Amino acid sequence: MLRATLALALILSLAACGTRLNPFNWFGGDREERIAVTETAAEPTDARRLVPEVVDLAVDATAQGAIVRAIGRPPVQGYWEAELVEVAREGSSITYEFRVFPPLTPTREGTAQSREVIVAASLSNFDLAGIRTITVIGAENRRSVNRR
């Protein structure tokens, strides 16, 4: 009976890890907003374009802060040198643009998964102080996460 009780307690405590009780779930699930962005370079020397669609955004806690991870989906394969470029830090929010170079030669469309580009940015605990919202902008949409 003791083993069954311990096993049940272990299962219930592990199930709680995916909910608000998890101390590593600082930011909730991402939400999407469809927009139309006029293309402007983040820096005059940055020739990269905004990725057409940001399909996922997550913030993962680390001992030193957090890692902001975004997945973009360009129209064809071969996009390269992706980066989250910080464009605004106002009050309790940080905004990034998802920038990427297009392929140098014509490429195939391929499947949606084969076109995905994953990029991340690291934020220290100092950088995260007071931050409640993180937003990543693509050409056709933006995704944001809010701290719980």
Side-chain angles (χ1 to χ4, degrees):
M1 185 66 171
L2 179 61
R3 286 185 181 177
T5 304
L6 288 175
L8 180 61
L10 178 64
I11 290 170
L12 290 175
S13 57
L14 286 176
C17 290
T19 65
R20 289 184 176 273
L21 299 176
N22 187 345
F24 296 109
N25 272 352
W26 302 354
F27 291 86
D30 66 329
R31 68 175 190 277
E32 178 185 29
E33 178 184 350
R34 288 287 170 180
I35 59 172
V37 175
T38 305
E39 186 77 33
T40 59
E43 298 178 27
T45 59
D46 193 348
R48 292 176 294 186
R49 299 178 188 162
L50 288 173
V51 71
E53 182 182 14
V54 181
V55 294
D56 188 44
L57 173 62
V59 178
D60 301 316
T62 66
Q64 296 79 26
I67 297 173
V68 179
R69 182 177 33 86
I71 300 174
R73 189 174 295 141
V76 295
Q77 297 174 348
Y79 278 72
W80 55 287
E81 201 170 317
E83 182 181 10
L84 289 176
V85 178
E86 185 177 325
V87 293
R89 187 183 292 248
E90 300 169 347
S92 64
S93 68
I94 298 176
T95 303
Y96 291 98
E97 288 182 343
F98 192 138
R99 297 229 162 240
V100 64
F101 279 117
L104 299 174
T105 59
T107 59
R108 297 173 7 127
E109 180 178 342
T111 65
Q113 288 179 329
S114 71
R115 298 189 318 260
E116 288 180 352
V117 178
I118 301 171
V119 66
S122 177
L123 293 170
S124 69
N125 285 323
F126 179 77
D127 293 333
L128 284 171
I131 298 301
R132 307 291 304 164
T133 304
I134 298 174
T135 303
V136 175
I137 299 172
E140 298 171 4
N141 71 335
R142 84 174 83 203
R143 287 195 174 268
S144 60
V145 291
N146 293 314
R147 191 178 280 209
R148 293 182 180 189

